[in-house]
Amino acid sequence: MVEKPTEIEQNTLIRKEKDTFKTGENFSAQRFLGLHKETEDRYTFRLWAPNAEKVWVVGDFNQWEQTDLMTFDSECGIWEITLETPQKDQLYKFRIQQQGGTIIDKIDPFSFKFEKRPNNAAVIYDFPEKKWRDGLWFARKKRSNYFRRPMNIYEVHSSSWRQRPDGTPYSFKELKDEMIPYVKKMGYTHIEFMPLMEHPLGRSWGYQLTGYFALSSYFGTPEEFQDFVEACHLSNIGVLIDWVPGHFSVNNDALAYYDGTPQFEYFDPDRAKNIRWGSLNFDLGKPEVQSFLISCVLFWIEEYHVDGIRVDAVSSMIYRDYDDGPWTPNHEGGNRNLEGYYFLQKLNAVIKGRHPEVLMIAEESSSETKVTGLIETGSLGFDFKWNMGWMNDVLRFYELDPIYRKDNFNLITFSFMYMHNENYILPLSHDEVVHGKKSLMHKMWGDRYKQFAQLRNLFTYMITHPGKKLLFMGSEWGQFLEWKFDEELEWVDLNDPLNQSMQFFTEQLNQFYKDERALWELDNTHETLEVIDADNSDETVLSFIRQGKRKKDFLIVILNMTPVERRNFTVGVPYPGTYTEVFNTEMKEFGGTWTAHNPECQTVPQEFKHYTDVIKTTVPALGAIILRPDSINTRRGR
């Protein structure tokens, strides 16, 4: 039996919690701040509000009256009170007499649960101590190298994936029964959720947060999400979540100017105000804010067993001039936000120190700062970075009428020049199918048949291009309408045979990706890709090799970007022998017209670029084919 700490020991622990929070080194601050059950009938409330004049805790248990005044520790700026009247499931807030005398009710920044929006009172709630059953999943993760494993992410906005007939979203209990089997069947390795933390406005998609430690009550209960993650792991599916440490909601009853002064935000109003997103920027150099944010990440990792964190809007955190408003240079005269830069390095160092198997992913749009790699080399320390340049160039290319593609061929080949500058994820994300940008399907040129053909071509290019993969929900079957955050996906599309075929294509392509080691085994090395021909702009056909560890383990990828079938097409190959077509985007079961694969190809001695042998085959219009060596002589060739 564990002995209860003595009063002296308890006071020492409390002092340590306060001191480390103040110095930016308390990485489990939620275990001290916020609401905590001491005994069956006693709760302690603690709040960081260093410049408040007075603070009361108000709620159902005291009729929301100012009867319970908290005491203040001026050394660390923390208010505290222990009460016997609160009961489970009752609501509460902190009533702050801010500096200057204004009195306002504020949320508990460390609450684990809030009432459903638009209301935002915290709920008296004991966070569950779950007995997890996913030990085998974590054991496998610790033994594997995620750089050399397949990673194909299904990006999801949880409340618009499926909805009930009354328009309310599925809870995670319902999503567990429907989403996990679907994702498993479709062959994805991970689900990535857009922010799940508490936020006041659905229109923000969760990117303007208020309750950083709380699963939004709109999506279900913490227990349901824990069970969902566990079920994913039992099905060999990882779970990633988006997180927003750069900026937060301006709502007056949340974190904004909490104690009447710049508490969570920068003191400089130009740095505090985020004009582009109508929000407020965290002061990332303030130690208490660092404790708050790093504790938040570890909380979601340790209490919900999530496998990775995708950090949103990293560019806004590391550049002072990223926003649309006025800015001032740093003390070195440059545009780097040094506080944000060093905070992100600290964040990644702490997370990797405790959980080296957790994926840290950056959504970052510049090329001026090294984002992935070792912190010791000057990097921010992330594992992966979204390749925004690839996404923008490729989508611009596929939107072009094919007659203009030969003059813009570099849009799909330029990424080969920098593909190893970072460890990349190739995203076709929610940002590209909203706000009038049109769905991926709708971006494609031509009639409906040609649009499906090009979507299959695009997905094949993404799957065969070096880098991990991400696709936003609904795109897998070619949803034509833009994503609507407040409506469920257009599942009715799947009554159409072409949408059914597109969904089946994506399923088969995803499985092909997982099965073919050449597509991921050497993903972050220079050996993984060899360009055969990236200069054939006249015919607008791209060809390259993806290489696995073993010499004979490679694939030849040929993509035709025009509506002209290329018959007797010549392509160089590294070794003489025979090659077999193993994937063709124009097969009838995928929605195309081909009923049989190309016949086996026998090499012919002929110079092609730096190759001494070639094969000849047919590449379908707006199609892609993949060939595998069947019987080759690796002692000759090249």
Side-chain angles (χ1 to χ4, degrees):
M1 182 176 178
V2 179
E3 292 186 8
K4 187 178 180 181
T6 66
E7 185 176 347
I8 294 176
E9 290 172 334
Q10 185 68 19
N11 290 337
T12 301
L13 289 171
I14 291 173
R15 188 76 260 162
K16 182 180 179 182
E17 294 279 3
K18 291 180 176 179
D19 290 345
T20 53
F21 180 76
K22 185 178 180 180
T23 59
E25 300 298 324
N26 189 329
F27 304 137
S28 56
Q30 78 282 356
R31 297 180 184 174
F32 173 70
L33 288 159
L35 169 67
H36 298 279
K37 189 174 184 178
E38 304 288 353
T39 63
E40 199 58 40
D41 56 358
R42 294 176 73 244
Y43 288 88
T44 295
F45 299 81
R46 296 191 186 94
L47 175 70
W48 175 57
N51 296 307
E53 295 177 353
K54 291 181 182 178
V55 179
W56 300 264
V57 59
V58 297
D60 293 337
F61 45 85
N62 60 14
Q63 291 72 54
W64 298 87
E65 299 291 337
Q66 294 172 197
T67 55
D68 296 312
L69 181 65
M70 303 175 77
T71 58
F72 183 56
D73 184 339
S74 59
E75 288 187 33
C76 58
I78 291 175
W79 300 80
E80 181 174 340
I81 193 172
T82 298
L83 300 174
E84 296 182 358
T85 50
Q87 296 179 17
K88 184 181 177 182
D89 295 330
Q90 289 185 320
L91 305 177
Y92 74 95
K93 288 187 177 183
F94 292 114
R95 184 160 294 164
I96 315 289
Q97 182 172 314
Q98 297 177 321
Q99 190 175 94
T102 299
I103 296 178
I104 186 172
D105 287 355
K106 291 275 195 176
I107 68 165
D108 179 357
F110 286 90
S111 176
F112 301 137
K113 188 176 182 181
F114 290 91
E115 60 180 334
K116 284 189 177 180
R117 64 178 191 238
N119 299 321
N120 68 348
V123 178
I124 295 177
Y125 171 76
D126 300 328
F127 197 85
E129 292 187 11
K130 180 177 175 62
K131 292 183 179 180
W132 291 86
R133 298 180 295 128
D134 57 358
L136 184 60
W137 166 262
F138 280 95
R140 282 199 298 263
K141 277 210 309 180
K142 288 179 179 178
R143 292 195 301 267
S144 66
N145 180 344
Y146 44 70
F147 291 113
R148 299 191 174 187
R149 295 292 303 162
M151 186 184 299
N152 191 2
I153 303 165
Y154 187 59
E155 188 190 25
V156 172
H157 179 256
S158 62
S159 61
S160 60
W161 190 75
R162 277 283 197 189
Q163 292 181 355
R164 305 184 189 104
D166 64 357
T168 58
Y170 275 22
S171 69
F172 272 102
K173 183 178 181 180
E174 294 164 299
L175 291 176
K176 182 180 75 171
D177 296 333
E178 292 209 23
M179 183 183 291
I180 295 174
Y182 178 79
V183 170
K184 187 175 180 67
K185 176 180 180 293
M186 290 300 297
Y188 293 100
T189 64
H190 292 74
I191 302 171
E192 179 177 320
F193 286 105
M194 293 161 68
L196 300 175
M197 300 84 179
E198 195 62 74
H199 53 281
L201 184 65
R203 191 175 294 274
S204 78
W205 313 336
Y207 290 102
Q208 294 201 17
L209 299 176
T210 50
Y212 274 73
F213 290 82
L215 177 78
S216 174
S217 295
Y218 192 65
F219 303 146
T221 68
E223 292 92 338
E224 288 173 343
F225 185 56
Q226 285 181 324
D227 290 345
F228 177 91
V229 174
E230 180 180 72
C232 282
H233 291 169
L234 295 176
S235 295
N236 293 320
I237 297 169
V239 179
L240 315 173
I241 58 171
D242 285 7
W243 180 60
V244 192
H247 60 104
F248 56 93
S249 170
V250 297
N251 280 27
N252 201 34
D253 50 7
L255 302 183
Y257 295 97
Y258 196 90
D259 62 9
T261 69
Q263 181 177 328
F264 288 93
E265 53 274 277
Y266 287 104
F267 181 81
D268 180 348
D270 286 340
R271 300 187 68 191
K273 186 181 295 185
N274 192 311
I275 296 172
R276 182 174 300 184
W277 295 314
S279 55
L280 289 166
N281 295 319
F282 278 109
D283 182 348
L284 299 172
K286 187 176 288 185
E288 295 92 341
V289 171
Q290 294 179 359
S291 288
F292 173 78
L293 290 173
I294 296 176
S295 294
C296 173
V297 175
L298 285 168
F299 169 77
W300 285 87
I301 292 169
E302 294 171 356
E303 299 299 336
Y304 286 110
H305 282 205
V306 298
D307 301 286
I309 305 291
R310 181 267 204 181
V311 180
D312 184 63
V314 167
S315 294
S316 72
M317 302 168 69
I318 59 176
Y319 299 113
R320 285 183 171 224
D321 59 348
Y322 181 81
D323 199 15
D324 299 326
W327 67 281
T328 55
N330 60 36
H331 69 274
E332 298 174 347
N335 69 338
R336 174 161 286 175
N337 180 4
L338 296 172
E339 296 95 329
Y341 180 87
Y342 291 123
F343 165 75
L344 290 169
Q345 287 190 323
K346 179 178 179 177
L347 167 72
N348 285 316
V350 171
I351 302 306
K352 287 299 179 181
R354 295 199 184 187
H355 301 283
E357 74 285 357
V358 166
L359 296 168
M360 296 298 292
I361 301 166
E363 187 264 320
E364 203 276 321
S365 55
S366 77
S367 58
E368 299 170 30
T369 298
K370 183 77 167 117
V371 173
T372 62
L374 297 175
I375 293 171
E376 292 79 3
T377 65
S379 159
L380 293 177
F382 286 95
D383 296 303
F384 293 100
K385 170 183 173 175
W386 276 23
N387 193 336
M388 311 294 278
W390 175 88
M391 177 183 70
N392 291 324
D393 287 349
V394 164
L395 292 180
R396 279 178 58 202
F397 180 85
Y398 278 88
E399 288 181 278
L400 289 172
D401 186 308
I403 65 173
Y404 302 115
R405 289 180 180 176
K406 66 179 182 179
D407 298 320
N408 293 274
F409 201 45
N410 65 309
L411 288 174
I412 61 162
T413 61
F414 180 61
S415 57
F416 292 155
M417 303 294 292
Y418 64 85
M419 63 186 178
H420 295 301
N421 289 359
E422 304 272 10
N423 299 321
Y424 285 117
I425 290 174
L426 308 178
L428 294 173
S429 73
H430 67 275
D431 270 333
E432 303 313 306
V433 295
V434 74
H435 293 330
K437 295 180 183 178
K438 300 187 288 191
S439 68
L440 293 185
M441 175 67 173
H442 197 180
K443 292 178 195 290
M444 301 296 112
W445 166 86
D447 60 29
R448 193 161 185 260
Y449 179 87
K450 293 184 177 71
Q451 288 178 319
F452 274 114
Q454 289 168 100
L455 195 61
R456 296 192 297 268
N457 187 303
L458 167 62
F459 287 0
T460 303
Y461 182 49
M462 177 178 72
I463 285 291
T464 57
H465 189 292
K468 308 310 181 186
K469 329 295 175 184
L470 179 143
L471 184 68
F472 185 59
M473 62 182 196
S475 302
E476 70 270 21
W477 71 72
Q479 176 170 308
F480 187 80
L481 296 179
E482 273 193 347
W483 167 57
K484 300 180 181 69
F485 77 92
D486 54 353
E487 297 180 17
E488 76 169 11
L489 294 178
E490 299 287 327
W491 294 97
V492 67
D493 288 348
L494 292 173
N495 294 327
D496 184 283
L498 282 175
N499 288 111
Q500 292 175 20
S501 297
M502 184 69 215
Q503 185 188 47
F504 178 69
F505 167 82
T506 306
E507 175 189 335
Q508 295 300 301
L509 182 66
N510 289 348
Q511 189 60 49
F512 182 81
Y513 167 67
K514 288 201 295 187
D515 291 342
E516 295 295 332
R517 303 177 73 88
L519 295 178
W520 42 263
E521 201 168 37
L522 300 178
D523 215 11
N524 63 331
T525 71
H526 290 280
E527 292 77 22
T528 192
L529 181 135
E530 180 179 318
V531 174
I532 298 174
D533 190 1
D535 301 318
N536 188 356
S537 58
D538 285 341
E539 292 181 293
T540 324
V541 178
L542 174 66
S543 55
F544 55 88
I545 295 170
R546 288 301 308 274
Q547 180 67 52
K549 280 184 179 181
R550 297 185 305 171
K551 199 171 186 179
K552 292 185 176 182
D553 189 7
F554 65 89
L555 298 170
I556 294 175
V557 182
I558 309 173
L559 300 115
N560 180 6
M561 310 301 188
T562 71
V564 179
E565 185 175 86
R566 303 297 179 185
R567 297 183 181 180
N568 208 32
F569 184 79
T570 302
V571 62
V573 293
Y575 306 110
T578 58
Y579 291 79
T580 301
E581 183 179 278
V582 291
F583 205 89
N584 187 320
T585 62
E586 276 300 298
M587 299 305 292
K588 192 170 184 178
E589 61 265 31
F590 297 154
T593 59
W594 285 39
T595 57
H597 282 278
N598 275 304
E600 184 179 76
C601 299
Q602 178 68 47
T603 57
V604 177
Q606 179 180 323
E607 295 291 330
F608 185 96
K609 299 281 187 174
H610 61 282
Y611 299 101
T612 58
D613 296 275
V614 300
I615 57 173
K616 295 181 185 294
T617 188
T618 298
V619 189
L622 296 172
I625 62 173
I626 303 174
L627 301 100
R628 183 190 295 127
D630 191 16
S631 177
I632 57 173
N633 183 355
T634 57
R635 287 174 293 184
R636 288 183 51 213
R638 293 191 188 271

